[in-house]
Amino acid sequence: MRILVTGAAGFLGSHLSRHLLDKGHSVVGLDNFITGNVDNIRDLFKNGRFEFINYDVTNYLHVPGKLDAVLHFASPASPIDYLKFPIPTLKVGALGTHKALGLAKNKNAIFMIASTSEVYGDPLINPQHEGYWGNVNPIGPRGVYDEAKRFAEALTMAYHRYHHMQVRIVRIFNTYGPNMRLKDGRAVPNFMVQALKGRPITVYGDGRQTRSLCYVSDLIDGIYRLLKSGINEPVNIGNPRELTLLELAEMVKTAAGSGSKIIFKPLPEDDPKVRRPDITRARRELKWRPRISLEDGLKKTVAHFKSRI
Ligand code: UDP
C-alpha cells in the first residue's frame, strides 16, 4: 500500500511510519514540526519508499499519486502543548481531520483517525469501554484537545455513513517509549529526565490518580491490526495495567537506578482521576493484547533517554 501519515515526525507518527516501511509499504510522511522532531525520522530519508512533505494539514491538502490509506496522526498531544498551542490543537483535530478525510475520499483510501482516551474526559466509570460517552469539560484547558478529537470522531463517522468510506478510529490510551521528547511534559518523560539527572521527581496532586501505560511497539501493533481489519467503529488500544502516579514514579526511579526524591506539585485543572482501557473489543476483534511489561518497557525507554541526555 501507499500510505499517508500525518504527524510523521512525532512520537507515534515516526514509529508508525517505520513499522509500515518494515511491512513493505510506501509511506508519504507529512509534518509541520510544531511538536514533531526531524531526528525521529532522519533514518527514514534513506529508504526509497519514504517521501516527506513539510506541510500543515489544516490547509488544503494535495498529494499527487495513488493513496491506499490516510492515517491522521498529527496533533499536539501533551497537556503542556495544549496550553501553548490551543488554537492549532483545535485546528488540526477539526480542520486537519476534514482535509485528511477529503483527501482519503478523493483517493478512495481507508481513513484512520488517531483518537484518544481523552474523549472519555475525567471518566465516571473505570475501566472505559468504547460505548462510554465520556465526561468532558468543553471549556477547560484540556477541552481544546478533547473536543477536537470528539469532533474528529463525529466527522469520521459522518464520512463513513454518508460517503460510505472505510474508516478506522483508534482510541489511544497513555503510551510511552523512545522518541518522546525530553521536554515533552508528560509523566514518563518528565520522571525519566528527573530520575536520570538526580533531580526531584514532580508528582502532581497527591499522586493517587491512575493511568495505564502502553509500550509504543504494542500500540503500533494494535494500530496496524486495526488498519487491516474491517472495523469502522472506535477501538480502544492501550495497556489495562492500572497504577497510581506515585507507583509510576517509584518504578521509573528503579528503572533508572536513581536516588531522586519525590516532590508534590499542584494538580493541573481537569486532570482525570482514573484511566484504564477496557480492551475486550481489541482482544476479540483484532486478536491483540499488549506484550511488553511495564518493567521491560521502562528499561528500554531509560536506555533511550540516557542516550539523549
Ligand atoms: N504528572 C505528574 N508529574 C509530571 C507530569 C504529569 O504527576 O511531571 C501526572 C499528571 O498530572 C497526570 C498523569 O501524570 O495525572 C499523566 O499525565 P500525562 O501528562 O502523562 O498525560 P495525561 O494522561 O494526563 O494526558
Side-chain angles (χ1 to χ4, degrees):
M1 292 198 280
R2 184 166 184 256
I3 301 173
L4 180 81
V5 178
T6 75
F11 168 46
L12 296 182
S14 62
H15 284 283
L16 183 57
S17 298
R18 192 166 292 106
H19 187 74
L20 294 170
L21 290 165
D22 288 346
K23 293 278 180 192
H25 303 293
S26 297
V27 172
V28 182
L30 194 132
D31 211 296
N32 67 347
F33 298 111
I34 175 173
T35 54
N37 183 350
V38 74
D39 289 339
N40 289 342
I41 51 168
R42 213 174 280 285
D43 58 312
L44 304 187
F45 286 99
K46 286 177 234 142
N47 190 318
R49 282 181 284 109
F50 183 72
E51 299 161 72
F52 183 77
I53 307 171
N54 185 338
Y55 196 71
D56 179 348
V57 63
T58 61
N59 298 318
Y60 179 81
L61 196 55
H62 172 73
V63 176
K66 74 151 192 169
L67 285 175
D68 303 291
V70 172
L71 315 185
H72 185 33
F73 276 67
S75 177
S78 169
I80 58 165
D81 293 328
Y82 322 149
L83 294 177
K84 205 158 140 202
F85 307 113
I87 295 165
T89 301
L90 278 159
K91 284 174 74 179
V92 74
L95 308 182
T97 301
H98 187 221
K99 299 294 184 294
L101 271 163
L103 177 70
K105 180 163 132 313
N106 272 344
K107 303 280 184 186
N108 240 330
I110 302 171
F111 176 78
M112 179 185 276
I113 178 71
S115 188
T116 168
S117 53
E118 282 285 320
V119 300
Y120 303 123
D122 187 3
L124 303 177
I125 63 165
N126 197 35
Q128 296 80 49
H129 60 83
E130 290 88 345
Y132 178 52
W133 292 352
N135 178 39
V136 171
N137 174 5
I139 57 166
R142 302 173 82 107
V144 296
Y145 183 68
D146 303 9
E147 296 295 5
K149 292 292 190 184
R150 289 168 67 97
F151 175 86
E153 288 200 8
L155 195 62
T156 301
M157 284 313 283
Y159 270 67
H160 170 60
R161 294 196 182 105
Y162 189 78
H163 293 301
H164 308 293
M165 273 176 64
Q166 278 294 308
V167 298
R168 308 286 180 261
I169 299 173
V170 53
R171 290 192 181 147
I172 299 170
F173 283 67
N174 293 67
T175 304
Y176 68 100
N179 289 7
M180 287 186 106
R181 300 161 300 171
L182 298 182
K183 294 187 176 169
D184 180 272
R186 280 175 285 188
V188 170
N190 271 11
F191 292 175
M192 290 236 155
V193 172
Q194 291 160 347
L196 289 169
K197 291 192 169 175
R199 291 183 185 155
I201 295 184
T202 55
V203 168
Y204 301 159
D206 59 11
R208 280 191 294 180
Q209 71 273 34
T210 68
R211 293 294 185 275
S212 309
L213 294 156
C214 188
Y215 188 67
V216 65
S217 61
D218 279 333
L219 186 94
I220 298 296
D221 174 40
I223 287 172
Y224 190 65
R225 284 169 191 253
L226 177 61
L227 176 64
K228 290 191 300 176
S229 78
I231 306 172
N232 292 280
E233 286 75 37
V235 179
N236 288 340
I237 301 284
N239 190 320
R241 176 173 170 190
E242 183 180 11
L243 72 169
T244 67
L245 262 291
L246 212 44
E247 285 168 329
L248 178 67
E250 292 292 352
M251 285 184 73
V252 171
K253 271 182 67 174
T254 306
S258 165
S260 287
K261 63 172 183 185
I262 293 174
I263 60 168
F264 294 89
K265 298 249 179 179
L267 191 68
E269 201 177 325
D270 295 338
D271 199 282
K273 285 178 273 306
V274 293
R275 186 183 286 151
R276 176 185 178 190
D278 179 330
I279 58 165
T280 309
R281 185 176 284 176
R283 274 178 175 273
R284 195 180 51 226
E285 312 269 341
L286 306 177
K287 308 280 175 261
W288 174 85
R289 66 179 172 87
R291 297 187 181 264
I292 309 282
S293 71
L294 187 54
E295 288 78 3
D296 287 350
L298 288 177
K299 265 189 228 151
K300 289 173 197 272
T301 310
V302 162
H304 168 83
F305 274 82
K306 259 189 186 158
S307 72
R308 290 233 177 152
I309 277 176

